[in-house]
Amino acid sequence: GADYAKDGAWRSNFDDVAAQVNSTAEAVIEVMIATKQARLKSLAVNGRAPANESVIDSKLDRANYALFALAVAMSDRPDS
């Protein structure tokens, strides 16, 4: 996030995308998780290794997005 997020605003990209599509940051992240899931499923169905991003990288991205979703949910809580 240091390269792409607004300084001091770790979730700024998620918030910006949410505003563009009239949604929430949490929903945007869930779509990103679903996209990773779909890619992994396609690889399994097609029975071939990826030409670009490795399966491990996709799984790591999926895990990171899950943590971002949790962090956004926690930061949106009124008592946080």
Side-chain angles (χ1 to χ4, degrees):
D3 289 336
Y4 298 106
K6 294 176 186 168
D7 287 344
W10 62 268
R11 59 180 278 175
S12 63
N13 289 320
F14 301 121
D15 290 327
D16 287 348
V17 172
Q20 290 179 47
V21 297
N22 194 30
S23 190
T24 65
E26 200 168 349
V28 166
I29 297 167
E30 292 298 331
V31 168
M32 296 175 91
I33 292 169
T35 301
K36 289 293 176 179
Q37 283 289 118
R39 289 176 179 173
L40 288 166
K41 183 179 176 185
S42 292
L43 285 173
V45 167
N46 292 333
R48 62 178 177 256
N52 298 298
E53 182 176 290
S54 73
V55 169
I56 294 297
D57 285 343
S58 291
K59 289 181 177 188
L60 181 59
D61 285 346
R62 185 180 58 183
N64 284 323
Y65 286 135
L67 292 174
F68 278 126
L70 178 60
V72 165
M74 292 175 69
S75 70
D76 286 346
R77 290 177 51 176
D79 61 343
S80 60

